[in-house]
Amino acid sequence: MAGGFDKLKVEFIDQDKSVQVVADTIRSSGEIPERYARPEMEADPVIIDTDGYNLPVIDMSRLINPEFSEEEIAKLGSACEDWGFFQLVNHGVDGELLQRIKDDITEFFRLPLQEKMSVAIPPNGLQGFGHHFVFSKEQKLDWVDLLFLTTRPVEDRTTEFWPTKPPTFRDSLDKYSLEIANVSAKLFKFMAINLGVDEEALLAAFKPEQPQSVRINHYPPCSQANKVLGLSPHTDGVGMTLLLQVNDVQGLQIRKDGRWFAVKNLPGALVVNVGDVLEILTNGKYKSIEHRAVINPDKERITLAAFQSVPLSGTVGPLQELLMKGEARYKTVDGAEFTKGYFATKLEGRRYLESLKLGV
């Protein structure tokens, strides 16, 4: 998802109900509305335990320590090539700030619906409280309410969509977005070293704005959790995503070796994944992996995903330094075309990313 969202025209259909309202209704009726019923969840037998499939763990303190950096950079490269996901520990984000942003997000979603609707996504808009990727009245819907905001650069923020309740929300998110931007910049630096390319060549794809946005997800519990889906299988149309678990309820699943497995978040870790843009920039060396969110039958799940994106005015294509070692495997497109194409595929797995591949 590239920066400059207010300049991007995406036609969504209004979803007239909060999923929380639907969940409350189901508690009394016991029936899942047809638009939320996902038969593939009941028919999918391929969920496996994490034994032998634990995500790689990358330690930022080792990345920045000259004594261990070379070894940890190699681990980072392997994680991006083999998994496309890793858990980042000792990332340096202030613990008190993490707790404050978690508390503020939890408090926002506990507000009455009418108060949350004060920052509702407008027709055909992207920012605010509501839903994304709803293109038709017949489309199956995800079991999630979200708050989507542009966070960086600061001058691109549309603060009318930033909640004023709780009163500390805006300040917490402002500080968190800066911390995450700094963590991302460090990771991009170490990725460039692993790839053997100039750091500035990799970062240039995200400049000058180095756009960042956040999607804050609230997944209400559902007594028939095996019949609904929190977030459809998809890849992220960004450079890199950093996911913070706001509460301790798990739900992220990754497709690997043709099967789904559940991610168990390490306490305090950020779950980082390679996005479509980074797969293209690395000419396929790093992998953007399909993932989804499932629902807990008894507890709500809340997450904060921060996306490091490319500007709409930029271009998305393989780095020239890497092309000296082989032919381009992906088309080069401008940022606006890339973002429109990503949204148009309605979170359908890797379909858009695959459409950009060249026949090499």
Side-chain angles (χ1 to χ4, degrees), residues 73-87:
I73 288 172
K75 283 180 60 180
L76 173 65
S78 294
C80 293
E81 292 176 35
D82 299 336
W83 285 83
F85 270 82
F86 57 89
Q87 301 209 51

Side-chain angles (χ1 to χ4, degrees), residues 262-307:
V263 173
K264 291 183 180 178
N265 293 78
L266 296 175
L270 295 169
V271 176
V272 183
N273 66 277
V274 171
D276 295 353
V277 171
L278 199 50
E279 176 170 328
I280 293 170
L281 288 173
T282 64
N283 204 31
K285 187 175 178 66
Y286 287 180
K287 302 297 189 298
S288 181
I289 301 298
E290 225 178 317
H291 51 286
R292 68 184 185 183
V294 297
I295 300 302
N296 188 285
D298 306 307
K299 300 177 182 178
E300 69 179 357
R301 177 173 181 251
I302 307 175
T303 63
L304 166 56
F307 305 112

